[in-house]
Amino acid sequence: LANLHQDMTGAKQSMGNRVQHLIFAPQSRTSYLVAMFESIGTFLIQTNNAYLAAGRMGGMPHPFSRALYSSMGTRENYNAAFVPYFDSSDHMCFVEGAIGVPAVALINWPDDFIHSSDDDLDNIDPTQLRRNNFLIAAMAYVLMHAEDDKAPLFATETFAQGNRRLAKDLTVAMQLMQPAPTGNANAAWKDASLLIEQGILRERRAVQSARVFAKDNRNAQQWLETFIAKLGDKEKELRADLNAHYTLQYHSAPQTLKLSPEELAASKKVPMNAAPLETYFKQRGEVKFSSKLHGLMRDEVYYFVDGKRSYYDIFKAVRAEALVAGSWYYGEVKLEDVVGLLDAAVEKGALVVKQ
């Protein structure tokens, strides 16, 4: 059903300027779990940090409005932030495309003492450990009681938070055209368009993931179907916004998008994982391909392989993910790198191209 992962979550944050990272799933695995994670995590951040307005309400623990402390721990704030996906911990085996289990994770960073003899009990703050345990335990509690009557709640939270993610997609898409950084309006328009396209596809997958709770409950199914239909309306709205922005920026309507010869060739190749899993992972480990493609985006290329998406579909999904996070975080995703990696995996027998 889900993987809730903790790593280094008892770290005393005042030692080495640590930040509690709340790690989202990769966009290949965005789901109801991300919505629950963000909802409960945001509550924890807001109620265990000091805010002037909240501190003046009276009758509440000072300086935090819903403080979680441990009797043997510090009274420090909860210095936490949600971050786009990274692995380097045990949740990575769950989000694998061939496995497909929704997963979120917690980790403290930076940590100058990790994997050393200095990583001892004096690094631990029971207060931070309690807060992180509350976050994971609250999520586990909700999942434990998640019968089909809870599907509307998961659908609502996922859809609502998805609209915020889509707003971020639109923001980045508009930034790409102010003006086109390469001086090529068509290239900027192609990137901006794929951000909207892939954002809608991501949010449809996320809402669909709540079907695991709905089962045969017709009312619950209706909630999901309604929100999925609303995403179709949202796509039209976002594309209209993007068109208006392009027209204002370049004083003309955008041209119809055309695939380059390389994109057209990539659109005709559909990869699927080799079977069984043992063969797939063994052969994938032997793939040799040199490029500047970020390691996490390299993984995402594999995660998006499903026997339905083409090379070009996978490229668009991974490029959109990197564009939204920013090149400072995931680098740049180029078509030749995605095609080269997939071809190398086919050559090693980790993937098979469907005819």
Side-chain angles (χ1 to χ4, degrees), residues 75-353:
R75 296 298 184 265
E76 294 176 2
N77 66 321
Y78 185 61
N79 185 24
F82 288 99
V83 297
Y85 174 72
F86 67 90
D87 52 24
S88 302
S89 197
D90 306 285
H91 61 296
M92 61 188 292
C93 61
F94 290 91
V95 298
E96 274 279 353
I99 306 298
V101 175
V104 292
L106 283 70
I107 198 168
N108 263 280
W109 200 256
D111 193 325
D112 295 331
F113 308 110
I114 189 172
H115 298 170
S116 77
S117 57
D118 290 328
D119 194 3
D120 212 332
L121 292 177
D122 63 322
N123 283 276
I124 294 176
D125 177 4
T127 290
Q128 301 297 2
L129 188 61
R130 184 182 185 191
R131 289 166 177 166
N132 290 315
N133 283 343
F134 166 80
L135 173 55
I136 295 299
M139 294 177 69
Y141 182 83
V142 172
L143 288 171
M144 182 175 68
H145 294 284
E147 300 296 339
D148 55 6
D149 62 335
K150 292 294 191 296
L153 173 62
F154 282 108
T156 299
E157 283 288 317
T158 304
F159 175 78
Q161 292 186 26
N163 273 271
R164 186 167 64 250
R165 289 188 289 265
L166 289 169
K168 175 69 180 297
D169 296 334
L170 180 63
T171 299
V172 175
M174 288 182 169
Q175 290 171 347
L176 290 172
M177 296 187 295
Q178 294 193 17
T182 61
N184 186 336
N186 287 337
W189 176 247
K190 184 173 284 189
D191 274 341
S193 297
L194 73 83
L195 280 170
I196 303 304
E197 172 193 272
Q198 294 301 315
I200 292 294
L201 290 173
R202 178 194 64 230
E203 298 310 323
R204 283 189 180 133
R205 294 194 302 269
V207 174
Q208 286 275 19
S209 72
R211 288 195 189 277
V212 70
F213 304 106
K215 300 179 183 176
D216 296 327
N217 185 318
R218 184 58 197 147
N219 178 61
Q221 293 284 359
Q222 185 63 45
W223 280 75
L224 294 168
E225 291 163 7
T226 298
F227 284 133
I228 290 170
K230 291 295 293 181
L231 284 169
D233 298 335
K234 188 67 177 179
E235 182 174 16
K236 294 176 184 177
E237 176 189 332
L238 292 171
R239 289 192 180 279
D241 292 341
L242 201 59
N243 271 277
H245 182 270
Y246 185 100
T247 302
L248 290 168
Q249 182 70 40
Y250 298 110
H251 309 292
S252 64
Q255 296 183 9
T256 302
L257 291 174
K258 295 181 180 180
L259 298 185
S260 68
E262 295 79 13
E263 292 167 342
L264 184 61
S267 70
K268 295 179 178 180
K269 300 170 74 172
V270 179
M272 59 187 297
N273 296 330
L277 278 178
E278 181 181 7
T279 298
Y280 167 69
F281 285 118
K282 179 179 183 297
Q283 297 308 115
R284 200 178 97 180
E286 297 179 3
V287 173
K288 305 295 182 185
F289 178 70
S290 178
S291 77
K292 294 183 179 180
L293 187 63
H294 192 289
L296 292 174
M297 295 297 94
R298 185 186 180 103
D299 289 342
E300 275 285 70
V301 170
Y302 286 118
Y303 296 171
F304 274 109
V305 172
D306 63 355
K308 299 177 183 178
R309 297 183 180 94
S310 68
Y311 278 32
Y312 187 54
D313 293 330
I314 294 168
F315 159 72
K316 288 192 292 182
V318 180
R319 182 167 176 82
E321 184 169 0
L323 284 171
V324 170
S327 59
W328 67 274
Y329 198 86
Y330 283 144
E332 184 179 0
V333 174
K334 298 180 179 179
L335 179 63
E336 56 264 33
D337 290 333
V338 173
V339 170
L341 176 59
L342 290 171
D343 279 344
V346 171
E347 183 178 347
K348 279 294 182 181
L351 302 178
V352 177
V353 174

